[in-house]
Each structure stands twice: as C-alpha cells, then as structure tokens.
Amino acid sequence: MIYMADTADLAALKELYDFFPLEGVTTNPTILKQSGEKLSVAIDGILKIIGHGMIHVQVMSETAEDIVHEAKTYKNYFDVGDNYYAKIPVTPQGYKAMAILKDSGINITATAIFTQQQALVAAKAGADFVAPYVSRLDNISSHGIEVVRDIVKNMVDFKLPCKVLAASFKTVDQIHRVSMNGSHSATVGPELLMQLIKHPMTDISVKTFLEDGKDLYDISF
C-alpha cells in the first residue's frame, strides 16, 4: 500500500514526514488555494520536505497541446526526474495528452475519475496512476468503494501496468475499505492520516506499560 499526503500545508506535511511512511504528495488547484501559496512556492516547499518522494502536480490547461506543454514545463522547472507525475483530468483532451506524454516518458496520474470506464480508458492511454474520488462518489449515492473495487479488478484482469490511487476521503473507514478492496495506493489529507494510526486502546496500553515498568527497567541507555 502506497500512502501519499493530499496537501500543500507545509507545517502538517513536515510533521507527517517525521514519522509516517509516506511515499509522496499529491496536489491540485483547490489544495493550492487552501494553502494560499503560488504553485512555484508551494511545490518548492513540498520538495524540500519529501526529498526523493513522488510529487503529483495537476495541470490547468484544457487542450491536449497546452496540457502537454504545461506538464513538460513543470517537469523541467521542478527538476525531480521520474518522481514527477503530471495530474491530468479525464477529459477527451486529457486522454489525448496522456498518450502523447507517455510517449515522451513523463509519468501520468489520471484524476477526477468517477467511473470504472474512465479509469480503464486512462490506463489504456498510458496513465501510471488512476485516481477515483471515493467520498464524492458516495455523496451522489454512487458507491465509491465499489467503483474502486471494479477498477482494481480491471487492472488485474487485463494485466495493465497502472495503479489505483484512491482519493477524496472523509472517514478512516473509507480508507480501510479501499485498502481491503485492493487499491494500490491512497492519497489522504493530514488530519485523516493522523487518525489512521490512532486508537484509544493503544493510548491506554502505552500508559499501562509506562506505569507498570517505571521501577523495573534498571539498565541505563
């Protein structure tokens, strides 16, 4: 399971990278707006924290030609080699751009996915990751977990070299269920990432250990 942080909040990201086994960061225009930073400043700050982790940067262009130019510009600008992924929405022009960029050797994350067919077409177009939006699907009674499950099945059945990057979560249970349905990866906001590893019984157990062992551990270190 690949965990990525879906954020441009540098303070939260720095805290997470201190202990959480994250493998990268995903961003989009909405996340950037929430951070209050321009793209160049936000990504530069993220890269200083994540080192050799993956960075997924979403394009804003709408035509295939402009998408390709924008994606190539970002790869050169941020100079992170194969750790760079161009995030491209699954529009007709987006699919066209994916095929062109794949031939150019640029990694692709297909985003804004709401159906199994959108993901399958993106994988065939050359996407390395496909990102279905779980919570947004649930909000329109479209069963996000089932969509993720169907996409995973397609990748396995058709032996496609594309990973499912489940996105858009509101609860820990959603993350649990996509992982149990075979999602290769998940991109999650900082608050939910912290909730993933917490349990009140763990806190109680640690407190008990400290109380029981305080007079028994007699070896200096």
Side-chain angles (χ1 to χ4, degrees):
M1 184 67 169
I2 295 171
Y3 289 106
M4 286 188 262
D6 197 26
T7 187
D9 183 333
L10 298 184
L13 194 60
K14 188 173 183 179
E15 181 181 3
L16 283 166
Y17 258 81
D18 189 49
F19 70 92
F20 205 108
L22 293 167
E23 295 185 44
V25 170
T26 61
T27 63
N28 62 40
T30 303
I31 285 172
L32 287 175
K33 183 177 181 180
Q34 292 168 351
S35 75
E37 299 286 359
K38 300 289 187 181
L39 179 66
S40 60
V41 175
I43 300 301
D44 182 62
I46 290 169
L47 291 176
K48 288 177 180 175
I49 296 170
I50 71 174
H52 297 293
M54 292 181 281
I55 181 70
H56 299 243
V57 183
Q58 187 162 325
V59 299
M60 287 282 288
S61 298
E62 297 182 82
T63 67
E65 182 180 2
D66 289 343
I67 290 170
V68 169
H69 180 66
E70 184 180 354
K72 288 182 176 180
T73 297
Y74 294 158
K75 183 176 183 180
N76 292 329
Y77 184 92
F78 296 116
D79 192 27
V80 288
D82 288 339
N83 290 323
Y84 166 78
Y85 288 76
K87 279 185 73 179
I88 303 173
V90 287
T91 63
Q93 290 295 299
Y95 286 122
K96 181 178 179 180
M98 289 177 204
I100 297 170
L101 288 168
K102 191 64 177 180
D103 287 341
S104 299
I106 291 181
N107 297 322
I108 300 158
T109 298
T111 192
I113 289 174
F114 290 88
T115 72
Q116 162 268 339
Q117 281 295 314
Q118 286 178 319
L120 183 56
V121 173
K124 295 291 289 182
D128 299 279
F129 285 98
V130 288
Y133 285 0
V134 176
S135 190
R136 294 190 195 184
L137 279 163
D138 287 349
N139 287 343
I140 57 172
S141 301
S142 292
H143 310 293
I145 305 301
E146 293 180 14
V147 172
V148 170
R149 180 198 63 202
D150 291 345
I151 295 171
V152 171
K153 186 175 187 301
N154 276 169
M155 301 308 159
V156 174
D157 288 349
F158 302 130
K159 297 180 173 59
L160 294 168
C162 179
K163 292 182 172 64
V164 179
L165 174 59
S168 176
F169 297 105
K170 294 297 183 186
T171 67
V172 168
D173 182 62
Q174 288 173 324
I175 302 167
H176 162 72
R177 286 188 288 149
V178 297
S179 66
M180 296 305 294
N181 277 277
S183 184
H184 308 93
S185 51
T187 183
V188 185
E191 184 177 346
L192 273 181
L193 282 170
M194 295 294 268
Q195 290 181 29
L196 283 182
I197 60 172
K198 293 189 70 66
H199 195 283
M201 292 305 296
T202 301
D203 296 337
I204 292 171
S205 297
V206 171
K207 183 178 179 181
T208 300
F209 293 151
L210 291 173
E211 291 174 350
D212 290 348
K214 62 184 177 182
D215 295 323
L216 304 176
Y217 278 59
D218 57 350
I219 300 173
S220 298
F221 59 92

